[in-house]
Amino acid sequence: MLIPHDTRIALDIVVDLMNTTPEGDHGDGLEDLPALYAFVQNYNISDVGELGEHDLNAVREVRDRFTDVFAATDARTAAEMINQLVASAGTTPQLTDHDGYDWHVHYFAPGASVAEHLAADCGMALAFMIVAGEHERLRRCEAPGCGRAFVDLSRNRSRRYCDSRTCGNRLHVAAYRARRKEAAG
């Protein structure tokens, strides 16, 4: 599956944004404005001015809407959610080549808030996955107690864990130990 560079970055942003959701023993990764500023800076999200509490709340709302897209059981439902998300951002597609990046498309309107920026650009990246017939690649980690979001970009769509070195390895070691215990039993 060939994914354009800017779409891949937007998918990474979606996943990382979703994974800031407080779950289990993980606190809210967007607990305050400094955390939002750090997120924006980490991804070099352009055209973001001064941020306030309303921006933090709006980004959390977008995060929840992305979570709903990943939870959709079929492409039609996901598409409807994505259409609503992108429309709410007031999209204005435009070509740009800023900050040393080659030509790419921004879907957010000039002067858009950070939440609108995320809804538009990341929503369009998710739309790309639906158009490509790849809705099932939007996944949650199958490791017990994890549930982190990821996009399965494996060739055969077989990835089950957010990180094979942590969640995947932990489950494989547990299964190995259980087999040894049963054999010694």
Side-chain angles (χ1 to χ4, degrees):
M1 169 173 199
L2 181 62
I3 299 176
H5 180 261
D6 53 326
T7 300
R8 177 63 192 263
I9 290 171
L11 290 171
D12 289 344
I13 292 171
V14 169
V15 166
D16 284 354
L17 180 62
M18 288 175 57
N19 289 334
T20 65
T21 303
E23 292 181 32
D25 59 349
H26 299 288
D28 191 342
L30 289 177
E31 64 186 353
D32 54 22
L33 281 175
L36 179 57
Y37 273 110
F39 186 86
V40 166
Q41 183 177 11
N42 183 50
Y43 280 102
N44 298 319
I45 298 174
S46 60
D47 296 330
V48 175
E50 192 70 28
L51 299 174
E53 285 295 321
H54 64 281
D55 293 299
L56 181 60
N57 292 330
V59 169
R60 287 176 179 156
E61 161 84 16
V62 168
R63 174 181 69 185
D64 293 344
R65 292 175 81 182
F66 287 144
T67 300
D68 292 343
V69 170
F70 270 63
T73 56
D74 59 86
R76 181 166 305 284
T77 303
E80 290 171 6
M81 291 178 194
I82 293 167
N83 284 340
Q84 291 171 3
L85 184 65
V86 172
S88 73
T91 58
T92 306
Q94 56 187 333
L95 286 168
T96 184
D97 67 341
H98 62 89
D99 299 328
Y101 293 104
D102 204 358
W103 288 105
H104 60 283
V105 179
H106 281 185
Y107 295 97
F108 58 92
S113 71
V114 66
E116 291 167 333
H117 180 132
L118 292 170
D121 274 358
C122 296
M124 289 305 297
L126 293 173
F128 174 82
M129 297 299 288
I130 301 299
V131 168
E134 303 291 355
H135 170 254
E136 71 277 358
R137 289 182 183 269
L138 306 178
R139 298 204 174 149
R140 293 294 198 150
C141 183
E142 293 180 17
C146 183
R148 293 177 59 84
F150 67 95
V151 177
D152 178 6
L153 297 177
S154 67
R155 189 174 293 220
N156 61 358
R157 298 177 183 92
S158 62
R159 187 171 161 198
R160 297 174 47 209
Y161 309 112
C162 62
D163 186 348
S164 61
R165 292 178 307 246
T166 55
C167 288
N169 191 45
R170 184 174 60 243
L171 286 177
H172 290 127
V173 168
Y176 169 76
R177 287 181 179 156
R179 285 191 305 272
R180 285 191 56 191
K181 183 177 180 180
E182 186 176 308

PDB file of all heavy atoms in Angstrom, residues 2 8 10-11 23 32 44 47 50 52 67 94 98 111 121-122 127 135 149-152 154 160 176 185:
ATOM      1  N   LEU A   2       0.709   2.092  -0.982  1.00  0.00           N
ATOM      2  CA  LEU A   2       1.493   3.309  -1.108  1.00  0.00           C
ATOM      3  C   LEU A   2       0.736   4.462  -0.459  1.00  0.00           C
ATOM      4  O   LEU A   2      -0.389   4.779  -0.860  1.00  0.00           O
ATOM      5  CB  LEU A   2       1.764   3.603  -2.579  1.00  0.00           C
ATOM      6  CG  LEU A   2       2.604   4.832  -2.862  1.00  0.00           C
ATOM      7  CD1 LEU A   2       3.995   4.680  -2.250  1.00  0.00           C
ATOM      8  CD2 LEU A   2       2.717   5.045  -4.355  1.00  0.00           C
ATOM      9  N   ARG A   8       0.857   9.886   5.648  1.00  0.00           N
ATOM     10  CA  ARG A   8       1.471   9.045   6.690  1.00  0.00           C
ATOM     11  C   ARG A   8       1.702   9.845   7.963  1.00  0.00           C
ATOM     12  O   ARG A   8       1.422   9.368   9.072  1.00  0.00           O
ATOM     13  CB  ARG A   8       2.781   8.458   6.154  1.00  0.00           C
ATOM     14  CG  ARG A   8       3.549   7.620   7.158  1.00  0.00           C
ATOM     15  CD  ARG A   8       2.724   6.403   7.567  1.00  0.00           C
ATOM     16  NE  ARG A   8       3.277   5.753   8.702  1.00  0.00           N
ATOM     17  CZ  ARG A   8       4.071   4.694   8.657  1.00  0.00           C
ATOM     18  NH1 ARG A   8       4.417   4.175   7.506  1.00  0.00           N
ATOM     19  NH2 ARG A   8       4.518   4.153   9.762  1.00  0.00           N
ATOM     20  N   ALA A  10       0.022  12.470   8.905  1.00  0.00           N
ATOM     21  CA  ALA A  10      -1.293  12.730   9.495  1.00  0.00           C
ATOM     22  C   ALA A  10      -1.834  11.496  10.214  1.00  0.00           C
ATOM     23  O   ALA A  10      -2.439  11.611  11.281  1.00  0.00           O
ATOM     24  CB  ALA A  10      -2.273  13.205   8.421  1.00  0.00           C
ATOM     25  N   LEU A  11      -1.603  10.305   9.652  1.00  0.00           N
ATOM     26  CA  LEU A  11      -2.032   9.074  10.328  1.00  0.00           C
ATOM     27  C   LEU A  11      -1.280   8.899  11.647  1.00  0.00           C
ATOM     28  O   LEU A  11      -1.859   8.482  12.652  1.00  0.00           O
ATOM     29  CB  LEU A  11      -1.836   7.863   9.420  1.00  0.00           C
ATOM     30  CG  LEU A  11      -2.767   7.764   8.225  1.00  0.00           C
ATOM     31  CD1 LEU A  11      -2.321   6.644   7.288  1.00  0.00           C
ATOM     32  CD2 LEU A  11      -4.212   7.571   8.666  1.00  0.00           C
ATOM     33  N   GLU A  23      -6.607   6.083  29.819  1.00  0.00           N
ATOM     34  CA  GLU A  23      -7.136   4.722  29.873  1.00  0.00           C
ATOM     35  C   GLU A  23      -6.324   3.937  30.889  1.00  0.00           C
ATOM     36  O   GLU A  23      -5.109   4.056  30.935  1.00  0.00           O
ATOM     37  CB  GLU A  23      -7.028   4.029  28.517  1.00  0.00           C
ATOM     38  CG  GLU A  23      -7.924   4.603  27.448  1.00  0.00           C
ATOM     39  CD  GLU A  23      -7.800   3.851  26.135  1.00  0.00           C
ATOM     40  OE1 GLU A  23      -7.554   2.631  26.166  1.00  0.00           O
ATOM     41  OE2 GLU A  23      -7.929   4.494  25.102  1.00  0.00           O
ATOM     42  N   ASP A  32      -3.209  19.403  29.989  1.00  0.00           N
ATOM     43  CA  ASP A  32      -3.159  20.849  30.157  1.00  0.00           C
ATOM     44  C   ASP A  32      -2.581  21.510  28.899  1.00  0.00           C
ATOM     45  O   ASP A  32      -2.186  20.830  27.949  1.00  0.00           O
ATOM     46  CB  ASP A  32      -2.345  21.222  31.401  1.00  0.00           C
ATOM     47  CG  ASP A  32      -0.948  20.602  31.413  1.00  0.00           C
ATOM     48  OD1 ASP A  32      -0.428  20.237  30.331  1.00  0.00           O
ATOM     49  OD2 ASP A  32      -0.367  20.486  32.498  1.00  0.00           O
ATOM     50  N   ASN A  44       5.263  19.580  14.559  1.00  0.00           N
ATOM     51  CA  ASN A  44       5.460  20.767  13.729  1.00  0.00           C
ATOM     52  C   ASN A  44       4.166  21.184  13.042  1.00  0.00           C
ATOM     53  O   ASN A  44       4.146  21.460  11.841  1.00  0.00           O
ATOM     54  CB  ASN A  44       6.556  20.529  12.672  1.00  0.00           C
ATOM     55  CG  ASN A  44       7.887  20.251  13.293  1.00  0.00           C
ATOM     56  OD1 ASN A  44       8.253  20.879  14.271  1.00  0.00           O
ATOM     57  ND2 ASN A  44       8.614  19.311  12.729  1.00  0.00           N
ATOM     58  N   ASP A  47       0.973  26.987  11.438  1.00  0.00           N
ATOM     59  CA  ASP A  47      -0.073  28.018  11.555  1.00  0.00           C
ATOM     60  C   ASP A  47      -0.875  27.919  12.848  1.00  0.00           C
ATOM     61  O   ASP A  47      -2.085  28.140  12.847  1.00  0.00           O
ATOM     62  CB  ASP A  47      -1.023  27.968  10.353  1.00  0.00           C
ATOM     63  CG  ASP A  47      -0.318  28.288   9.050  1.00  0.00           C
ATOM     64  OD1 ASP A  47       0.653  29.059   9.085  1.00  0.00           O
ATOM     65  OD2 ASP A  47      -0.743  27.750   8.017  1.00  0.00           O
ATOM     66  N   GLU A  50      -1.470  31.398  19.444  1.00  0.00           N
ATOM     67  CA  GLU A  50      -1.652  31.271  20.889  1.00  0.00           C
ATOM     68  C   GLU A  50      -2.790  30.297  21.170  1.00  0.00           C
ATOM     69  O   GLU A  50      -3.856  30.384  20.565  1.00  0.00           O
ATOM     70  CB  GLU A  50      -1.983  32.649  21.471  1.00  0.00           C
ATOM     71  CG  GLU A  50      -1.910  32.732  22.969  1.00  0.00           C
ATOM     72  CD  GLU A  50      -0.487  32.648  23.494  1.00  0.00           C
ATOM     73  OE1 GLU A  50       0.458  33.035  22.781  1.00  0.00           O
ATOM     74  OE2 GLU A  50      -0.334  32.180  24.633  1.00  0.00           O
ATOM     75  N   GLY A  52      -5.453  28.325  23.906  1.00  0.00           N
ATOM     76  CA  GLY A  52      -6.158  28.533  25.165  1.00  0.00           C
ATOM     77  C   GLY A  52      -6.917  27.284  25.572  1.00  0.00           C
ATOM     78  O   GLY A  52      -6.876  26.255  24.891  1.00  0.00           O
ATOM     79  N   THR A  67     -11.454   8.516  17.793  1.00  0.00           N
ATOM     80  CA  THR A  67     -11.650   7.252  18.497  1.00  0.00           C
ATOM     81  C   THR A  67     -12.905   6.548  17.986  1.00  0.00           C
ATOM     82  O   THR A  67     -12.898   5.331  17.775  1.00  0.00           O
ATOM     83  CB  THR A  67     -11.735   7.499  20.016  1.00  0.00           C
ATOM     84  OG1 THR A  67     -10.506   8.098  20.445  1.00  0.00           O
ATOM     85  CG2 THR A  67     -11.962   6.219  20.783  1.00  0.00           C
ATOM     86  N   GLN A  94      -5.599  23.454  -0.123  1.00  0.00           N
ATOM     87  CA  GLN A  94      -4.660  24.335  -0.806  1.00  0.00           C
ATOM     88  C   GLN A  94      -3.287  23.684  -0.852  1.00  0.00           C
ATOM     89  O   GLN A  94      -2.884  22.999   0.079  1.00  0.00           O
ATOM     90  CB  GLN A  94      -4.604  25.691  -0.122  1.00  0.00           C
ATOM     91  CG  GLN A  94      -4.247  25.632   1.359  1.00  0.00           C
ATOM     92  CD  GLN A  94      -4.362  26.981   2.032  1.00  0.00           C
ATOM     93  OE1 GLN A  94      -4.217  28.007   1.384  1.00  0.00           O
ATOM     94  NE2 GLN A  94      -4.621  26.982   3.313  1.00  0.00           N
ATOM     95  N   HIS A  98       5.816  24.774   2.473  1.00  0.00           N
ATOM     96  CA  HIS A  98       6.420  25.548   3.562  1.00  0.00           C
ATOM     97  C   HIS A  98       7.459  24.749   4.345  1.00  0.00           C
ATOM     98  O   HIS A  98       7.512  23.525   4.278  1.00  0.00           O
ATOM     99  CB  HIS A  98       5.314  26.037   4.517  1.00  0.00           C
ATOM    100  CG  HIS A  98       4.578  24.917   5.170  1.00  0.00           C
ATOM    101  ND1 HIS A  98       4.974  24.351   6.343  1.00  0.00           N
ATOM    102  CD2 HIS A  98       3.478  24.237   4.776  1.00  0.00           C
ATOM    103  CE1 HIS A  98       4.144  23.376   6.660  1.00  0.00           C
ATOM    104  NE2 HIS A  98       3.222  23.287   5.718  1.00  0.00           N
ATOM    105  N   GLY A 111      -6.049  30.349   8.976  1.00  0.00           N
ATOM    106  CA  GLY A 111      -6.528  30.860  10.253  1.00  0.00           C
ATOM    107  C   GLY A 111      -7.313  29.856  11.070  1.00  0.00           C
ATOM    108  O   GLY A 111      -7.900  30.211  12.094  1.00  0.00           O
ATOM    109  N   ASP A 121      -6.927  17.862   8.269  1.00  0.00           N
ATOM    110  CA  ASP A 121      -5.793  17.110   7.703  1.00  0.00           C
ATOM    111  C   ASP A 121      -5.829  15.636   8.103  1.00  0.00           C
ATOM    112  O   ASP A 121      -5.649  14.750   7.264  1.00  0.00           O
ATOM    113  CB  ASP A 121      -4.457  17.729   8.115  1.00  0.00           C
ATOM    114  CG  ASP A 121      -4.017  18.848   7.199  1.00  0.00           C
ATOM    115  OD1 ASP A 121      -4.721  19.133   6.205  1.00  0.00           O
ATOM    116  OD2 ASP A 121      -2.953  19.441   7.461  1.00  0.00           O
ATOM    117  N   CYS A 122      -6.071  15.373   9.361  1.00  0.00           N
ATOM    118  CA  CYS A 122      -6.087  13.979   9.821  1.00  0.00           C
ATOM    119  C   CYS A 122      -7.353  13.260   9.360  1.00  0.00           C
ATOM    120  O   CYS A 122      -7.313  12.067   9.046  1.00  0.00           O
ATOM    121  CB  CYS A 122      -5.943  13.927  11.333  1.00  0.00           C
ATOM    122  SG  CYS A 122      -4.357  14.572  11.922  1.00  0.00           S
ATOM    123  N   ALA A 127      -9.791   9.428   5.557  1.00  0.00           N
ATOM    124  CA  ALA A 127     -10.597   9.274   4.347  1.00  0.00           C
ATOM    125  C   ALA A 127      -9.811   8.505   3.288  1.00  0.00           C
ATOM    126  O   ALA A 127     -10.357   7.646   2.593  1.00  0.00           O
ATOM    127  CB  ALA A 127     -11.031  10.643   3.814  1.00  0.00           C
ATOM    128  N   HIS A 135     -10.103   0.230   5.635  1.00  0.00           N
ATOM    129  CA  HIS A 135     -10.673   0.567   6.938  1.00  0.00           C
ATOM    130  C   HIS A 135     -10.189  -0.387   8.031  1.00  0.00           C
ATOM    131  O   HIS A 135      -9.950   0.013   9.168  1.00  0.00           O
ATOM    132  CB  HIS A 135     -12.207   0.565   6.855  1.00  0.00           C
ATOM    133  CG  HIS A 135     -12.872   0.657   8.187  1.00  0.00           C
ATOM    134  ND1 HIS A 135     -13.487  -0.416   8.779  1.00  0.00           N
ATOM    135  CD2 HIS A 135     -12.994   1.682   9.047  1.00  0.00           C
ATOM    136  CE1 HIS A 135     -13.968  -0.045   9.942  1.00  0.00           C
ATOM    137  NE2 HIS A 135     -13.693   1.218  10.131  1.00  0.00           N
ATOM    138  N   ALA A 149      -4.185   2.705  19.975  1.00  0.00           N
ATOM    139  CA  ALA A 149      -4.505   2.765  18.550  1.00  0.00           C
ATOM    140  C   ALA A 149      -3.233   2.607  17.721  1.00  0.00           C
ATOM    141  O   ALA A 149      -2.142   2.974  18.152  1.00  0.00           O
ATOM    142  CB  ALA A 149      -5.158   4.102  18.222  1.00  0.00           C
ATOM    143  N   PHE A 150      -3.406   2.047  16.516  1.00  0.00           N
ATOM    144  CA  PHE A 150      -2.327   2.013  15.527  1.00  0.00           C
ATOM    145  C   PHE A 150      -2.926   1.781  14.160  1.00  0.00           C
ATOM    146  O   PHE A 150      -4.085   1.384  14.028  1.00  0.00           O
ATOM    147  CB  PHE A 150      -1.272   0.941  15.865  1.00  0.00           C
ATOM    148  CG  PHE A 150      -1.755  -0.481  15.775  1.00  0.00           C
ATOM    149  CD1 PHE A 150      -1.564  -1.217  14.600  1.00  0.00           C
ATOM    150  CD2 PHE A 150      -2.364  -1.105  16.843  1.00  0.00           C
ATOM    151  CE1 PHE A 150      -1.999  -2.535  14.519  1.00  0.00           C
ATOM    152  CE2 PHE A 150      -2.799  -2.417  16.768  1.00  0.00           C
ATOM    153  CZ  PHE A 150      -2.621  -3.136  15.592  1.00  0.00           C
ATOM    154  N   VAL A 151      -2.158   2.080  13.133  1.00  0.00           N
ATOM    155  CA  VAL A 151      -2.553   1.797  11.761  1.00  0.00           C
ATOM    156  C   VAL A 151      -1.682   0.646  11.299  1.00  0.00           C
ATOM    157  O   VAL A 151      -0.455   0.739  11.297  1.00  0.00           O
ATOM    158  CB  VAL A 151      -2.369   3.029  10.845  1.00  0.00           C
ATOM    159  CG1 VAL A 151      -2.717   2.694   9.403  1.00  0.00           C
ATOM    160  CG2 VAL A 151      -3.216   4.199  11.346  1.00  0.00           C
ATOM    161  N   ASP A 152      -2.325  -0.453  10.944  1.00  0.00           N
ATOM    162  CA  ASP A 152      -1.599  -1.655  10.514  1.00  0.00           C
ATOM    163  C   ASP A 152      -1.137  -1.469   9.074  1.00  0.00           C
ATOM    164  O   ASP A 152      -1.922  -1.570   8.143  1.00  0.00           O
ATOM    165  CB  ASP A 152      -2.509  -2.879  10.629  1.00  0.00           C
ATOM    166  CG  ASP A 152      -1.832  -4.160  10.150  1.00  0.00           C
ATOM    167  OD1 ASP A 152      -0.624  -4.129   9.843  1.00  0.00           O
ATOM    168  OD2 ASP A 152      -2.528  -5.188  10.092  1.00  0.00           O
ATOM    169  N   SER A 154       1.301  -3.378   7.831  1.00  0.00           N
ATOM    170  CA  SER A 154       1.991  -4.600   7.426  1.00  0.00           C
ATOM    171  C   SER A 154       1.459  -5.050   6.073  1.00  0.00           C
ATOM    172  O   SER A 154       0.313  -4.769   5.707  1.00  0.00           O
ATOM    173  CB  SER A 154       1.801  -5.706   8.474  1.00  0.00           C
ATOM    174  OG  SER A 154       0.457  -6.120   8.523  1.00  0.00           O
ATOM    175  N   ARG A 160      -1.129  -7.207  15.169  1.00  0.00           N
ATOM    176  CA  ARG A 160      -2.130  -7.308  16.229  1.00  0.00           C
ATOM    177  C   ARG A 160      -1.837  -6.413  17.425  1.00  0.00           C
ATOM    178  O   ARG A 160      -2.715  -6.175  18.247  1.00  0.00           O
ATOM    179  CB  ARG A 160      -2.221  -8.758  16.700  1.00  0.00           C
ATOM    180  CG  ARG A 160      -2.697  -9.691  15.598  1.00  0.00           C
ATOM    181  CD  ARG A 160      -2.667 -11.143  15.999  1.00  0.00           C
ATOM    182  NE  ARG A 160      -3.261 -11.361  17.309  1.00  0.00           N
ATOM    183  CZ  ARG A 160      -2.905 -12.344  18.124  1.00  0.00           C
ATOM    184  NH1 ARG A 160      -1.976 -13.207  17.767  1.00  0.00           N
ATOM    185  NH2 ARG A 160      -3.498 -12.493  19.284  1.00  0.00           N
ATOM    186  N   TYR A 176       4.654 -18.676  26.168  1.00  0.00           N
ATOM    187  CA  TYR A 176       5.764 -19.623  26.282  1.00  0.00           C
ATOM    188  C   TYR A 176       5.846 -20.170  27.707  1.00  0.00           C
ATOM    189  O   TYR A 176       5.964 -21.386  27.921  1.00  0.00           O
ATOM    190  CB  TYR A 176       7.078 -18.942  25.893  1.00  0.00           C
ATOM    191  CG  TYR A 176       8.301 -19.744  26.211  1.00  0.00           C
ATOM    192  CD1 TYR A 176       8.662 -20.833  25.409  1.00  0.00           C
ATOM    193  CD2 TYR A 176       9.109 -19.440  27.297  1.00  0.00           C
ATOM    194  CE1 TYR A 176       9.787 -21.579  25.689  1.00  0.00           C
ATOM    195  CE2 TYR A 176      10.232 -20.181  27.587  1.00  0.00           C
ATOM    196  CZ  TYR A 176      10.575 -21.252  26.791  1.00  0.00           C
ATOM    197  OH  TYR A 176      11.691 -21.982  27.076  1.00  0.00           O
ATOM    198  N   GLY A 185       3.871 -29.713  34.290  1.00  0.00           N
ATOM    199  CA  GLY A 185       2.754 -29.948  35.133  1.00  0.00           C
ATOM    200  C   GLY A 185       2.513 -31.164  35.808  1.00  0.00           C
ATOM    201  O   GLY A 185       2.286 -31.691  36.706  1.00  0.00           O
TER     202      GLY A 185
END
